[in-house]
Structure formats: C-alpha cells, structure tokens
Amino acid sequence: MRRAAALLLPALMLAGCGGNQAQKPAPSPSPSESPTPALDPAARLAAAVKASFPEGVNQGPVTFDDNKLVDTGFGPVLVSHGHVRDPAHVDAGTIAVHYLDADGTGFKVRKAYPKAAESGSFGDLAEWSVSDKFLDRPVVYVEGGGTWQGYTCSFTTLVALNPEGPKEVASFQSVYDNGGAVEDNAQSVRGKIGAIRKGIDFTVKFEGTRSFAERYVWRDGKYQREGGESQVPSC
C-alpha cells in the first residue's frame, strides 16, 4: 500500500500542475488585418470621379461635373454628363462612361468610353438619367435637341450598360416644332415614354397639334418601333 501511494502522489502532483495552468489569450489582430471601412456615397462618388478623371473634370473644352455612380452586377460604373464650356450651336453634350474596379478605398478604371452618347446643341443635353425600368441592367436615358432655321427637334436615346460595355438600344425623335419657320398650319408634337414593360416594350405618347402613340418592342437586342415609319415629321 505504501508503494502504491508513493507512485500515485507524483502523478497527482503533475495532473494538478497541468490543470491549474491558465490559458493564454488569443493574439489580437494587427492593424493590417482590420477590415477596410466602407465609404459613404459622397466619398465613393468623389473617389470614382478622381479615378476616372485624374487630371480633373475639365477635359479639353468639355467639363464633366455632373456624375452618377451606378452599382451593377459586374462592378461600379461612373456615368458622367459633359457640357462644352464655350459652345457653338453645333456642339453636342456628351455622356462618358467608366467601368471601375475597387482599389483599396478608391477605384481604378477598367474600361473607359469617353463618348458613350452625344446629343443636343450649344454644348449640352436637354435631359439625362439612369433607369432600371427598361432592362435587367441599368440604362442611360439621354435627350437632346435644338432649333435650326425655325425648326425645333429633339431626340431620345437609350444606352444600356452591358457587362462588355455601353450599347445604344433605342433612339427616336421625340420633339418636332416648325412654329419658327412657318406662319400657317404650324405643327408641334412632344413625346414622352409612358408605360414600360421591362425587356418587352414601351410606349411613347405624343401630345400637341396631334395626339398619338408609338410602341417600341424589344427585338434582336434593341427596342424597335412597331408599325413602320414614325408619325413624327422628320427634321
């Protein structure tokens, strides 16, 4: 019995030493392992503009100071409206598109399309926006026109932001007015897009000296007018 107790005592002492040993705390992550803080929308837009126009938004005679950052399934895209600072009548407004990749807290340009769309006169567009109503990807809506020898005309263009790059998917004349060129029987019509069925069709409703509607159907990768030639007098 004394021999058994003598053998058991060192084992109990070793077990007690191991059981009372405190565990070391897990090492805290180094600063380099901390997650990158998310930028607020204004800061993201500013970073996208800086990456797209590293030398500033004044690109020759055109200033791109009206910008929108669009998040897509294939990465962020900066859409920029450019206007000519000292324009002539024939100068158009411009839409530039930059496809971006995240780069730390900023961006780097993957693809650039400085003239994704051009329209209008006197160096500017009449209207532009980005919509998710037409297709399963963002579409840039552009309207621009002008007056020449008393005839006022405007055109609407839709540019899809596809993964491989921007592509025009619709274009139609949306305004006609000859009131500055004729004295009798002047005509004036203005069309606005009404009902839209995404990826199927949309309707343009025209009002003025005549009222009518024209339907555009998605076919062969673009929206095409149904029923032949437009009822809008050409410019």
Side-chain angles (χ1 to χ4, degrees):
M1 291 295 292
R2 289 180 180 178
R3 180 179 177 82
L7 293 173
L8 184 60
L9 182 58
L12 290 173
M13 292 177 66
L14 289 173
C17 290
N20 294 333
Q21 185 177 3
Q23 295 184 351
K24 295 182 180 180
S28 58
S30 63
S32 62
E33 296 174 338
S34 300
T36 302
L39 296 178
D40 64 74
R44 289 185 75 234
L45 177 60
V49 172
K50 183 178 181 180
S52 301
F53 304 102
E55 298 179 358
V57 295
N58 291 335
Q59 300 287 302
V62 183
T63 298
F64 292 91
D65 56 359
D66 184 12
N67 316 94
K68 182 176 179 62
L69 184 60
V70 183
D71 288 310
T72 74
F74 44 87
V77 178
L78 183 71
V79 184
S80 303
H81 162 218
H83 59 89
V84 180
R85 293 187 298 279
D86 186 18
H89 190 183
V90 297
D91 289 333
T94 305
I95 292 291
V97 173
H98 292 82
Y99 285 48
L100 307 173
D101 289 321
D103 185 22
T105 58
F107 300 96
K108 60 182 178 181
V109 176
R110 188 192 334 148
K111 298 178 183 178
Y113 303 89
K115 294 183 178 181
E118 291 184 290
S119 190
S121 61
F122 286 107
D124 211 353
L125 307 173
E127 183 180 347
W128 79 281
S129 61
V130 180
S131 175
D132 60 358
K133 296 180 180 179
F134 293 96
L135 295 171
D136 60 357
R137 50 204 179 274
V139 170
V140 184
Y141 172 97
V142 179
E143 185 177 343
T147 301
W148 294 267
Q149 298 180 343
Y151 292 87
T152 299
C153 299
S154 188
F155 297 84
T156 296
T157 304
L158 302 180
V159 178
L161 300 179
N162 294 333
E164 64 274 14
K167 179 186 177 183
E168 182 179 301
V169 293
S171 182
F172 59 89
Q173 185 178 333
S174 48
V175 172
Y176 176 84
D177 190 314
N178 64 355
V182 301
E183 295 182 359
D184 300 322
N185 300 319
Q187 298 183 64
S188 178
V189 292
R190 174 178 291 274
K192 287 291 183 182
I193 295 176
I196 303 171
R197 294 192 296 172
K198 182 182 291 189
I200 299 175
D201 61 14
F202 64 82
T203 301
V204 184
K205 295 184 178 180
F206 289 88
E207 302 289 343
T209 51
R210 290 193 300 135
S211 296
F212 56 94
E214 295 185 341
R215 181 169 172 255
Y216 286 75
V217 179
W218 183 258
R219 185 169 60 247
D220 298 329
K222 59 183 177 179
Y223 282 107
Q224 302 185 50
R225 185 175 50 251
E226 191 177 53
E229 294 185 3
S230 173
Q231 298 182 55
V232 182
S234 60
C235 291

